[in-house]
Amino acid sequence: MLRLGNILLWMAAAIILCQARPNVKLHSQSSSGLRSDCAANVMRLSLDKALAVGNQLEVEAINGTKHILLTPSMAAQCGYSMESDPWGNTRIYTSLMGCFVDNKDDATFNVGLRLKMYGENPSDVVSHDVSQTCSYTRWASREILCDRNYMEVSHHMANLDAEAKGQTWDGKDEKLNANLEASGASQGIWKMTFYTPEPVAMVLQEAEQAGYAAKTTSSRLVMRSPYNTAETYSEDVAGVPMEVFRVSAYYMAPQGLNVVNLAAACPKGGVLFTEDMISWHVPRRVTPLLDGRITVSEMHMGINGQRLDRSQMAARGYTLSTTDFHIVVEIPVGSPDGYYKSHAPDYQYHITYFVEPMLEVLWREDDTQDDTRYKVLFPIMTPLMPQSPQIQDDTVPETRVFSVLLGTFLHDVELRNITFSTGVLTVEESNAKGFTVQEHSLANGSKSFSLQVPFDADVVLKHNPQRLVTSYFLPLIFGLIVLPEETPFALPVDLQASLQDIVLPIMAGTCDQNQFYISVKFGSHGSNFKAIVGPRELTAEMAEDYNFYENGTHLSLILPYTAKDAVFELLTAESVKSRIDLLLMD
Ligand SMILES: *[C@@H]1O[C@H](CO)[C@@H](O)[C@H](O)[C@H]1NC(C)=O
Ligand SMILES: *[C@@H]1O[C@H](CO)[C@@H](O)[C@H](O)[C@H]1NC(C)=O
Ligand SMILES: *[C@@H]1O[C@H](CO)[C@@H](O)[C@H](O)[C@H]1NC(C)=O
Ligand SMILES: *[C@@H]1O[C@H](CO)[C@@H](O)[C@H](O)[C@H]1NC(C)=O
């Protein structure tokens, strides 16, 4: 019933370069082009494309003096996500519960990141250290974060603090005690059971090796899982495919070993597209998370991890509504918070639109009054939308110039060359030949291209379907590319124009007693014709005999009436009538 949305996860992965890199130059630069801020339980860092252009980006988490390279798997395990658009604009989110975040009493969080940009030359490294302090105290008893590449759940634990202050568990169970020491249960979490839905037990170390993260903070127990691991499973909730992470964590509390059940469930689809609207459906009741009676006490939508208020949503045409089974976020295709991108699969022009909405819901359990905060950061890309650019033939035949406008294209399309009947010319070569090629920018950032070619250019084919009409024909293939990938595509355009532009030569002839006087005023084809005098084509020899004269616009002949090519028509005693025929042929 619901079409699966195209979810992009960790699009631009950290790039790990394996060769040793001695004498790496590290120079910190001013932070223009880098912006960091706090958005509730997430720290956001955005990197402008100007900084990243032509570079490979590597991100490290800073934990005190240690730097930990965030590979895609490390990021998903530890609460980091990164997404770049095709031009290099990058947004990095860090969960405040992330592995390397310096957490002071679950209230103040210091996030340190180092961005390393490698230029063409591997020894050319520019690095930026970013440090951001976030305060967040409105933790709900349960918080679930669905980021682009991981699911995270944390629970408030009333007893953890006391335990951290040195109270110990009574230690009556010797065997368990030994087990706990052997597994290095210093963090309080000893082992866990995943439900796949079949139970799978692991000690902490095994779970970490399998890509999960579990830790306790001063008052919370946190667990995290990447998507699609062996211990998570898929479930359809109200028609929306969701990934479910359910686990029981065994941890030490002052009164003994304790168990807490945690669950996260994150949508992997639920997006419906029309030509101009994206509808994102999230189950109103995420059944894997909630079993008792619940009330939705808050609901917010946001973009790029940032909540929007009602007036900001209205200004952009976003809506947030509920149906019996779903919470529905609607976003018009083309909203300025997202971006369009051109594509050319099979040499055909297509576009997509990308946007990253956020949904935040606060549920209150009617029995316990416990709150669950549910936050989903959800990149959405529309399916490929085929485009058929308009070809606008602006030719006015009387001006004897072909004029065509081609568009519209997104800003990431460039015209490279044009194939004419005589061969391919680049845009520069076309302009040099006197064909005017121009790019026109539209107010909305789109563009179009125009071309002008005179009828008389050698690339224009001509023929005369009627005596006085010339048909001009200009076959073209526009060679375009999509940047930055340089994907080629082509658009063939045939232009045709007819003009009644044939002026026939005008002949005049007179005669006197002795001679014929013939004059021809040239037509539109000038002297491009064959003259046939009587039965014969005019030759140089005859020209001399017949006083041939020619200037740029006329020719003339003077022939005696006795000329060989003349015909006697009537002979009487008093007169002789003679005729001369002149035929002009193309
Ligand atoms: C981060 O640093 C702290 C303090 O130096 C240390 O206790 C902790 O183990 C480090 N975390 C990781 C994941 O290396
Ligand atoms: C930009 O404007 C042109 C004409 O005004 C329109 O044809 C085109 O679809 C618009 N492009 C986008 C991406 O909205
Ligand atoms: C013309 O441009 C297209 C890009 O659309 C490219 O694929 C093709 O190779 C170019 N042709 C020549 C001869 O340069
Ligand atoms: C060409 O000759 C014709 C008559 O023979 C004359 O009328 C015309 O002016 C001449 N044109 C030029 C350009 O000399």
Side-chain angles (χ1 to χ4, degrees):
M1 153 191 159
L2 294 173
R3 190 135 51 108
L4 201 74
N6 208 344
I7 308 167
L8 300 182
L9 301 171
W10 195 266
M11 269 182 43
I15 291 130
I16 312 146
L17 299 160
C18 296
Q19 79 264 37
R21 212 192 300 279
N23 305 322
V24 167
K25 273 183 282 168
L26 279 180
H27 31 113
S28 280
Q29 286 201 341
S30 74
S31 308
S32 63
L34 273 179
R35 262 188 342 272
S36 62
D37 65 359
C38 307
N41 56 357
V42 168
M43 189 280 258
R44 305 189 304 167
L45 174 63
S46 50
L47 169 71
D48 194 82
K49 62 171 184 296
L51 273 183
V53 72
N55 289 310
Q56 290 186 321
L57 175 64
E58 202 176 87
V59 183
E60 293 174 347
I62 304 173
N63 184 34
T65 53
K66 279 203 354 224
H67 290 200
I68 301 98
L69 177 64
L70 294 177
T71 60
S73 57
M74 178 64 92
Q77 179 168 24
C78 279
Y80 297 82
S81 77
M82 171 162 121
E83 187 152 309
S84 298
D85 72 17
W87 305 280
N89 299 297
T90 301
R91 280 175 296 120
I92 300 170
Y93 296 155
T94 304
S95 163
L96 297 188
M97 286 286 153
C99 301
F100 310 110
V101 175
D102 177 17
N103 176 337
K104 299 229 166 31
D105 299 325
D106 290 330
T108 307
F109 304 84
N110 288 304
V111 182
L113 290 173
R114 168 168 289 183
L115 307 184
K116 286 163 110 176
M117 278 162 277
Y118 292 92
E120 298 255 304
N121 183 349
S123 68
D124 239 1
V125 184
V126 179
S127 80
H128 300 272
D129 283 0
V130 179
S131 151
Q132 172 77 46
T133 301
C134 295
S135 298
Y136 185 63
T137 50
R138 299 182 53 238
W139 294 99
S141 18
R142 290 207 290 179
E143 295 236 348
I144 293 150
L145 175 63
C146 300
D147 204 332
R148 301 131 162 180
N149 52 340
Y150 64 84
M151 306 182 265
E152 181 185 277
V153 51
S154 76
H155 279 211
H156 179 75
M157 299 275 106
N159 298 325
L160 281 174
D161 210 23
E163 175 223 343
K165 288 193 179 103
Q167 293 185 27
T168 50
W169 143 75
D170 67 7
K172 275 179 203 134
D173 185 338
E174 292 297 325
K175 192 163 160 244
L176 188 55
N177 199 9
N179 262 336
L180 287 173
E181 272 161 20
S183 68
S186 59
Q187 293 188 54
I189 299 168
W190 166 52
K191 69 157 209 172
M192 54 211 75
T193 302
F194 296 90
Y195 301 94
T196 67
E198 303 316 314
V200 177
M202 292 188 197
V203 297
L204 179 63
Q205 207 182 6
E206 289 170 327
E208 284 176 347
Q209 273 164 10
Y212 306 100
K215 74 168 183 183
T216 54
T217 66
S218 55
S219 63
R220 301 185 75 79
L221 194 152
V222 191
M223 291 209 63
R224 196 177 301 105
S225 168
Y227 289 99
N228 304 317
T229 63
E231 283 75 32
T232 61
Y233 62 94
S234 299
E235 189 177 320
D236 200 74
V237 183
V240 176
M242 300 195 86
E243 183 91 355
V244 182
F245 172 52
R246 267 177 52 201
V247 60
S248 295
Y250 295 78
Y251 70 102
M252 286 188 294
Q255 66 275 40
L257 193 64
N258 217 339
V259 183
V260 58
N261 298 320
L262 301 98
C266 294
K268 304 194 76 190
V271 186
L272 293 174
F273 302 101
T274 66
E275 208 169 290
D276 39 32
M277 193 63 80
I278 295 168
S279 309
W280 174 32
H281 296 243
V282 178
R284 183 167 178 169
R285 190 183 168 85
V286 181
T287 43
L289 303 180
L290 309 159
D291 27 56
R293 286 177 57 81
I294 51 113
T295 312
V296 172
S297 51
E298 282 180 36
M299 207 165 71
H300 307 277
M301 87 156 277
I303 288 285
N304 298 339
Q306 182 69 54
R307 256 193 217 175
L308 299 178
D309 63 31
R310 292 274 150 191
S311 67
Q312 289 169 321
M313 284 170 59
R316 293 160 161 89
Y318 302 153
T319 61
L320 175 62
S321 59
T322 52
T323 65
D324 285 350
F325 296 106
H326 298 110
I327 298 169
V328 184
V329 175
E330 286 198 308
I331 299 172
V333 172
S335 132
D337 287 319
Y339 63 82
Y340 279 108
K341 171 86 189 77
S342 298
H343 305 265
D346 299 325
Y347 298 99
Q348 300 298 310
Y349 186 48
H350 290 72
I351 62 173
T352 54
Y353 175 74
F354 177 93
V355 66
E356 190 178 39
M358 173 187 83
L359 176 69
E360 227 185 301
V361 187
L362 190 68
W363 286 294
R364 174 156 296 170
E365 276 175 49
D366 294 351
D367 300 343
T368 61
Q369 296 294 299
D370 277 350
D371 284 335
T372 298
R373 191 185 306 283
Y374 184 64
K375 179 162 163 176
V376 189
L377 304 165
F378 201 69
I380 296 174
M381 188 183 270
T382 64
L384 287 167
M385 300 181 270
Q387 300 289 295
S388 29
Q390 297 292 311
I391 296 157
Q392 185 179 316
D393 185 351
D394 291 332
T395 306
V396 178
E398 287 66 33
T399 60
R400 304 186 61 79
V401 176
F402 278 115
S403 178
V404 64
L405 183 70
L406 203 64
T408 54
F409 301 96
L410 296 180
H411 61 92
D412 57 354
V413 170
E414 262 185 21
L415 177 60
R416 272 291 155 89
N417 59 42
I418 303 172
T419 306
F420 294 97
S421 58
T422 52
V424 186
L425 298 180
T426 63
V427 168
E428 296 71 32
E429 289 165 347
S430 304
N431 277 314
K433 273 201 83 167
F435 311 154
T436 314
V437 186
Q438 285 174 312
E439 184 180 304
H440 307 273
S441 300
L442 306 176
N444 61 10
S446 291
K447 58 166 76 161
S448 56
F449 302 101
S450 67
L451 168 70
Q452 271 147 24
V453 176
F455 283 2
D456 301 321
D458 59 353
V459 299
V460 175
L461 310 175
K462 306 176 186 94
H463 74 280
N464 297 98
Q466 296 166 36
R467 221 157 65 105
L468 301 182
V469 175
T470 312
S471 273
Y472 298 91
F473 182 57
L474 179 60
L476 301 166
I477 300 169
F478 288 90
L480 300 133
I481 53 157
V482 176
L483 294 176
E485 313 84 11
E486 310 220 337
T487 321
F489 67 102
L491 276 181
V493 175
D494 287 339
L495 297 177
Q496 197 156 7
S498 292
L499 194 57
Q500 188 166 336
D501 57 357
I502 302 292
V503 179
L504 295 176
I506 299 168
M507 296 188 267
T510 56
C511 48
D512 60 15
Q513 294 284 326
N514 303 309
Q515 305 186 102
F516 297 104
Y517 302 90
I518 298 172
S519 91
V520 176
K521 182 170 185 275
F522 298 155
S524 49
H525 286 188
S527 57
N528 280 328
F529 54 75
K530 281 189 286 192
I532 295 161
V533 182
R536 297 190 294 160
E537 186 173 340
L538 186 68
T539 61
E541 214 173 280
M542 288 157 65
E544 205 165 304
D545 292 346
Y546 295 161
N547 296 298
F548 177 82
Y549 165 81
E550 183 184 27
N551 64 16
T553 58
H554 293 76
L555 69 77
S556 61
L557 294 167
I558 303 170
L559 298 84
Y561 78 89
T562 54
K564 193 171 159 200
D565 298 306
V567 191
F568 288 102
E569 285 201 327
L570 191 65
L571 277 173
T572 64
E574 305 84 49
S575 66
V576 174
K577 192 170 172 190
S578 175
R579 191 187 85 217
I580 182 79
D581 294 330
L582 177 71
L583 188 65
L584 303 180
M585 285 173 67
D586 249 341

